[in-house]
Structure formats: structure tokens, C-alpha cells
Amino acid sequence: GYGPGNCRWANRIEQALNRSNTIKVAYGGEVVPVYLLVRSLGISPKAVRARAQRRGGNYAAALQSMGINAMAAQSGVEPVYKS
């Protein structure tokens, strides 16, 4: 069962990133959620989403158009989360 020893609090962002439909890209040799990557680089997630929509939903292409060397993540690869 559940108890204090095997449970931890996850904030709203951590819970949202733990979904199967979280968009991830390969960047710097790791697979990372787009949201965390752009926030760490000081880029507006809204701007990246708009560029991706203009590119048929391709977030890697949207990031590349901004000068960020990101590649599409392979499906089934677990992301690396760094706080």
C-alpha cells in the first residue's frame, strides 16, 4: 500500500510533465520535455508552440529555427528530468 516511505509530493508542473503526451526533444545528449528546455533557456513556451504549429507540430524544427540544436526524441525513450 501507500505510506510516507513510498510517496512524495509532486507539484502541478511535475505532474503535468509525467503524462504520456508530454512533448520531448533530444538536446545535449538527453531527452528532455520541451517545456523544461525552453524555460531553462529563457524562451517563451508560447513562442515555441506557435512556431511548432506553423511547422506541422514539429517542435524540434521550431527550436532549430530559433538556433537551438534540438532533435526529435525517439518514442519509448525515457526523459531525463533535472530541476
Side-chain angles (χ1 to χ4, degrees):
Y2 294 106
N6 62 0
C7 293
R8 70 174 192 86
W9 179 259
N11 64 36
R12 192 179 78 214
I13 291 174
E14 289 174 318
Q15 290 179 12
L17 293 173
N18 196 28
R19 295 173 51 120
S20 61
N21 64 347
T22 298
I23 300 164
K24 303 167 192 84
V25 293
Y27 177 78
E30 299 176 341
V31 176
V32 294
V34 170
Y35 178 80
L36 290 181
L37 175 61
V38 299
R39 292 294 300 257
S40 71
L41 297 173
I43 300 170
S44 164
K46 207 174 201 181
V48 175
R49 184 172 43 251
R51 284 187 187 225
Q53 288 173 343
R54 290 193 300 267
R55 288 163 177 79
N58 187 334
Y59 279 79
L63 291 166
Q64 289 169 2
S65 75
M66 300 173 106
I68 299 165
N69 188 19
M71 298 173 43
Q74 297 175 355
S75 60
V77 177
E78 287 299 313
V80 175
Y81 296 107
K82 292 185 177 177
S83 301

